Amino acid sequence: MDDDHEDREDQDGVAGQYNDGNRAFLQAFLARGTLTLKEAKPVLAAIFSAQEGRAVRAEQVTQEDFESYVSAASAAVSLFDLEIRSANHQVRRERVWAVVNTMSDGLTQLATLHSADEIAFVKRVIDAMFERYNTPRIEAMCIDEMQANKLRVPPKPDNDDGGEVGEATVLEENGDADAGGGQTQQVPLKGLKSSEVETVMRSMVDEGWFERTSEGFYHLSARALLELRSWLLESYNDPDAEEGEWQRVKFCEACKDVVTIGQRCAERDCLVRLHDKCAESFFRRRERDCPKCSLEWTGRHFVGERAVTETEAYQRGRRRSGKAARHSNVAEEVIHEEPEEEEEVEEEDDE
């Protein structure tokens, strides 16, 4: 670009030159939670225009400009146990940067915006994504609103003798702690009303934790996967599992990021997974065979929503039940269908 742009680069590279422009960029970043280069360009253009006293267009902002401001922001937030991480979006195929708390998981951070009942509900939804709707046969890792509505009330505690806090209770401190009179007691969780389920699910989308597809399924966003990566592994993967054993959280063979939307090997016992974008580049200069088991990679075995919606059983259910019934009843039938029935469907397709 021009000399003013070169001056910006020189200034940003000098230690201690963190200025009002950097602060404005970080404020915009924190307000959004995530940023892509496309989203950052008009923000930086406005900052550069104010700094230089002339109009700077968004298309004049370069990748290098963006990366220099991200680097400066990352150094600034590191003092507060935050860091900036990035990953490719699994659907939009663009890189996403997110401010991540390194000292607590995302569910803990939700406590500043949501009630205990709402946080417990979100935890049950994520549990369902990675447990109930994530099996060796179908790795959906998504949930629709009707399925989420069934989780609005917490399950009863495993024990009723008060020996351990169950899911249906939350610890709450009452009294004046400074005076030594504070007491901790178990307060039962009430759950949510059906009308509140929709509000909470939509708020998770608005806050950048969930994404909602055109088919009406919710799945974890790019921000959530970056923020919750360690927590997801600790919560759903078995640290003592042997090599080659199926785990609930899996990684792309190419980019090594978590895969919740993408493709899988046609061999059910094979653990190779690829994002759609990664699969394109991965097989560009090699045979379209699985790198582990050598079975042909068809690109027709899916991870995520399509593991449900692309099945013949789901399509039959849509035709039989109509659009209104497809999200819950049909999806439930597909996910929990007996393996023998699924194999019969696959044989019919081959014929």
Side-chain angles (χ1 to χ4, degrees):
M1 287 176 62
D2 52 25
D3 293 338
D4 289 328
H5 172 68
E6 292 177 1
D7 291 340
R8 288 202 302 268
E9 288 185 332
D10 293 339
Q11 199 173 47
D12 290 337
V14 177
Q17 292 298 321
Y18 191 85
N19 55 36
D20 288 342
N22 297 105
R23 295 184 186 93
F25 174 77
L26 179 56
Q27 185 176 17
F29 199 160
L30 291 172
R32 289 168 170 80
T34 62
L35 269 182
T36 63
L37 175 60
K38 181 179 179 180
E39 293 168 337
K41 281 187 173 185
V43 174
L44 288 174
I47 292 172
F48 295 160
S49 297
Q51 288 178 332
E52 298 169 15
R54 65 183 182 85
V56 176
R57 300 188 305 276
E59 57 266 27
Q60 292 178 285
V61 178
T62 67
Q63 177 83 32
E64 290 73 23
D65 291 329
F66 175 57
E67 290 179 352
S68 70
Y69 270 73
V70 168
S71 177
S74 183
V77 299
S78 65
L79 301 174
F80 305 97
D81 298 319
L82 301 172
E83 67 179 45
I84 296 176
R85 300 175 185 170
S86 68
N88 287 320
H89 193 281
Q90 297 182 100
V91 177
R92 297 201 304 268
R93 305 187 181 191
E94 60 183 343
R95 197 140 192 95
V96 178
W97 282 259
V99 180
V100 175
N101 190 317
T102 60
M103 297 302 292
S104 64
D105 62 73
L107 293 180
T108 302
Q109 296 168 49
L110 290 176
T112 60
L113 299 173
H114 298 275
S115 68
D117 278 298
E118 291 172 342
I119 296 170
F121 166 72
V122 172
K123 173 63 166 57
R124 293 194 295 274
V125 168
I126 298 177
D127 284 344
M129 288 179 179
F130 284 89
E131 293 178 344
R132 179 173 176 81
Y133 303 117
N134 180 25
T135 68
R137 191 175 66 86
I138 293 186
E139 298 172 354
M141 286 174 281
C142 60
I143 189 171
D144 68 23
E145 203 162 283
M146 292 182 68
Q147 291 165 340
N149 191 59
K150 297 176 182 178
L151 304 172
R152 66 185 184 277
V153 178
K156 295 180 179 179
D158 293 335
N159 60 313
D160 297 323
D161 57 6
E164 184 177 346
V165 179
E167 162 115 25
T169 62
V170 62
L171 291 177
E172 184 174 280
E173 186 171 305
N174 295 320
D176 189 349
D178 294 335
Q183 293 182 343
T184 300
Q185 63 180 9
Q186 295 181 24
V187 178
L189 290 172
K190 300 177 181 178
L192 303 178
K193 300 177 182 178
S194 295
S195 59
E196 294 173 327
V197 168
E198 179 180 0
T199 300
V200 173
M201 294 297 285
R202 297 303 171 93
S203 72
M204 290 297 102
V205 174
D206 294 339
E207 293 166 23
W209 295 103
F210 292 172
E211 292 180 358
R212 187 177 186 272
T213 72
S214 59
E215 287 283 331
F217 289 93
Y218 293 85
H219 59 83
L220 291 186
S221 67
R223 174 194 179 181
L225 292 175
L226 286 168
E227 187 92 46
L228 301 177
R229 177 179 172 130
S230 298
W231 179 81
L232 291 172
L233 291 173
E234 293 173 2
S235 300
Y236 304 113
N237 279 11
D238 181 3
D240 299 321
E242 297 181 0
E243 184 178 355
E245 186 175 345
W246 186 83
Q247 296 270 42
R248 296 189 182 279
V249 181
K250 286 164 287 297
F251 299 91
C252 177
E253 186 74 13
C255 72
K256 309 306 179 185
D257 285 335
V258 174
V259 178
T260 61
I261 301 172
Q263 303 173 20
R264 63 183 294 178
C265 179
E267 171 55 53
R268 185 177 298 175
D269 294 330
C270 183
L271 302 182
V272 174
R273 306 291 183 270
L274 287 166
H275 295 115
D276 292 321
K277 179 180 179 180
C278 294
E280 292 177 6
S281 57
F282 189 79
F283 292 115
R284 189 167 295 152
R285 296 183 179 180
R286 68 178 76 192
E287 296 293 326
R288 291 190 67 86
D289 296 329
C290 175
K292 290 288 180 66
C293 71
S294 299
L295 192 67
E296 179 187 4
W297 194 277
T298 65
R300 298 298 302 168
H301 294 79
F302 300 109
V303 174
E305 172 188 271
R306 290 175 299 172
V308 175
T309 60
E310 292 295 320
T311 61
E312 177 62 24
Y314 184 82
Q315 297 300 325
R316 283 201 310 264
R318 288 180 62 177
R319 293 191 295 268
R320 182 181 67 245
S321 305
K323 184 175 180 179
R326 73 186 184 198
H327 288 314
S328 230
N329 297 337
V330 178
E332 285 283 348
E333 291 174 6
V334 171
I335 292 173
H336 300 291
E337 185 180 41
E338 290 299 321
E340 291 78 12
E341 184 177 344
E342 180 198 42
E343 291 170 2
E344 291 176 2
V345 170
E346 291 178 351
E347 291 174 1
E348 291 174 4
D349 293 341
D350 291 340
E351 294 176 359

